[in-house]
Amino acid sequence: MLERNGHGGDLATAEELYGVPAEELLDYSANINPLGPPPGLKDVLHEEWAGLVHYPDPESRELRTAISQKYNIDPASILVGNGAAEVIDLIVRGFKPGKVAVVDPAFMEYAEAALKAGAEVLSVPASADDGFAIPEKALLTACEEVDLLFIGQPNNPTGQWLSREAVVRLADTAVTHNTILVLDEAFIDFFEDEKELSYIREAAYSRHVIVIRSMTKFYGIPGLRLGYAASHPDNISFIRKLQVPWSVNHLAQKAGVYALNQSEYETRTRQLVAVERAWLEEELKRIGCLPYPGKANFILVRTSASGPDASELQLILGQQGILIRGCAGFAGLDTRYFRIAVRTCMENERLIAALRGALCNRQEAEGTDWTSR
């Protein structure tokens, strides 16, 4: 298995396994913006090189101001972290919940963080028969009996999300039962209606709701590690006390400030993902796979019972320099499931051609041009 700690994108391990140089690997296992970092960011980082001789701002003031201006919220309602992973850890360690609820399947770090903090984890399963829709009724019930509830908005790896009305109902229930509702919006930036769906503005004034955002996925900078949380200033002040000094480095802070002002890049990203995702879904169906619907920059896929499973596909494609994310490690999923990112037109055509070759007989794969649009 390539996945470590619930993540894809382990190029070093892939290089060892498949003998393909890391720089030549086509990575569909990590859900990163297919456009790469915003244009001009490299120049910004070069200009900020001199700042490395100083410690970074421990309060990330400039970046918090940029976030507050983008979403019209108080800077005191924002905590910047070394990726969303640090924010998840700080929340759990800070609030010390006795019982935590998670939707399954879901990002593994929710449960792992809870278990590390000594909490009991309550699984709220989503059903394959229902397309892995997030089970609102079950979550409302869970919200009444747990101290903290994690929801991916959208959920990873299924790509499902709750309507704004459902989030409001959960937030109201959290207030009534003194529960902390954590909405992980790490991939919501890829939604064209992100501003309408996001709950970040409401969370900034709530003592019972925390929104987590990641900047590494949408802005294509996972190597810099950057994420943040929004909630009532009292909550933010409370969990910030647990954060190690200088958690977020100087270049990451500057990259975040620059990225938040790239509106044209944001628009192009959302348009590209919408078009390429739709094409991928149709092509996956044509080759006998079942892609689950969504709007994020990744797709959960189930293979047919008659063909190779996801672990076999990982090996076949890996030897061709293409990485996909096996999902058997997620609760509720088995070896028939894998996840792919949405990438550029030419890359997606290469992926589909490789999958077709692995799933269909070789004569068909070689005798037809499946890459033309």
Side-chain angles (χ1 to χ4, degrees):
M1 291 291 290
L2 277 173
E3 296 77 30
R4 306 287 177 86
N5 299 318
H7 296 280
D10 186 350
L11 301 187
T13 299
E15 183 176 21
E16 292 176 358
L17 282 175
Y18 306 126
V20 180
E23 61 273 14
E24 296 179 13
L25 289 167
L26 179 55
D27 188 9
Y28 274 85
S29 70
N31 309 317
I32 307 302
N33 191 323
L35 294 179
L41 179 58
K42 184 176 181 179
D43 294 333
V44 171
L45 298 180
H46 180 74
E47 292 168 4
E48 294 296 335
W49 180 262
L52 297 185
V53 301
H54 305 292
Y55 284 101
D57 175 8
E59 302 293 331
S60 300
R61 293 174 179 85
E62 186 182 8
L63 179 52
R64 285 168 53 225
T65 297
I67 296 168
S68 72
Q69 292 173 346
K70 189 175 184 69
Y71 293 103
N72 193 27
I73 58 179
D74 186 350
S77 296
I78 302 165
L79 169 72
V80 177
N82 189 286
E86 183 193 25
V87 176
I88 292 170
D89 178 71
L90 289 172
I91 290 170
V92 176
R93 286 197 293 119
F95 287 98
K96 297 181 175 62
K99 194 172 186 179
V100 174
V102 299
V103 178
D104 279 324
F107 185 44
M108 297 177 188
E109 286 200 13
Y110 306 150
E112 289 176 358
L115 292 171
K116 288 177 183 176
E120 177 186 353
V121 177
L122 172 66
S123 172
V124 182
S127 171
D129 294 336
D130 200 22
F132 294 108
I134 298 178
E136 181 194 349
K137 290 184 179 179
L139 286 175
L140 286 169
T141 300
C143 197
E144 298 177 4
E145 58 182 275
V146 301
D147 305 299
L148 192 148
L149 170 61
F150 278 108
I151 302 176
Q153 185 68 345
N155 190 39
N156 175 19
T158 66
Q160 293 294 320
W161 70 98
L162 288 171
S163 68
R164 186 171 179 81
E165 293 74 20
V167 171
V168 170
R169 288 190 287 271
L170 278 165
D172 290 344
T173 303
V175 171
T176 302
H177 294 275
N178 196 31
T179 301
I180 299 296
L181 172 63
V182 181
L183 300 170
D184 184 356
E185 297 185 353
F187 296 99
I188 206 169
D189 303 82
F190 291 96
F191 285 41
E192 294 185 286
D193 56 350
E194 172 257 339
K195 288 189 176 179
E196 291 74 28
L197 185 60
S198 176
Y199 208 70
I200 191 171
R201 286 164 291 276
E202 292 80 3
Y205 302 98
S206 174
R207 296 178 185 274
H208 292 273
V209 181
I210 304 173
V211 162
I212 298 174
R213 299 293 288 260
S214 168
M215 297 191 69
T216 62
K217 282 87 171 174
F218 187 76
Y219 295 107
I221 51 173
L224 283 177
R225 310 304 307 130
L226 195 60
Y228 59 93
S231 189
H232 190 282
D234 288 350
N235 286 345
I236 296 300
S237 177
F238 173 61
I239 61 177
R240 179 179 284 131
K241 294 175 182 177
L242 297 174
Q243 191 173 32
V244 298
W246 304 294
S247 171
V248 184
N249 70 71
H250 174 72
L251 294 182
Q253 292 184 36
K254 293 296 182 180
V257 172
Y258 177 80
L260 287 169
N261 290 293
Q262 304 306 304
S263 57
E264 181 181 347
Y265 165 89
E266 294 174 354
T267 300
R268 286 195 297 118
T269 295
R270 294 182 183 116
Q271 291 173 344
L272 173 65
V273 167
V275 170
E276 291 301 318
R277 182 188 174 105
W279 185 84
L280 277 169
E281 287 179 346
E282 288 304 310
E283 292 301 308
L284 286 164
K285 292 174 186 176
R286 288 181 65 194
I287 61 176
C289 292
L290 174 63
Y292 288 87
K295 294 194 291 186
N297 66 322
F298 57 87
I299 305 174
L300 178 66
V301 186
R302 191 181 74 203
T303 64
S304 69
S306 59
D309 65 15
S311 61
E312 294 174 279
L313 289 176
Q314 270 191 304
L315 177 59
I316 295 169
L317 269 63
Q319 292 171 340
Q320 300 176 50
I322 302 174
L323 308 182
I324 61 174
R325 173 71 158 91
C327 292
F330 288 94
L333 301 182
D334 57 31
T335 57
R336 289 285 160 193
Y337 292 88
F338 65 95
R339 191 195 66 200
I340 58 170
V342 177
R343 297 186 63 89
T344 64
C345 172
M346 291 183 64
E347 291 170 331
N348 293 336
E349 289 174 347
R350 179 182 167 191
L351 170 69
I352 291 298
L355 281 170
R356 184 181 296 280
L359 293 169
C360 305
N361 66 69
R362 187 172 299 277
Q363 182 177 2
E364 178 186 1
E366 293 177 349
T368 307
D369 178 11
W370 296 105
T371 63
S372 58
R373 298 258 177 145

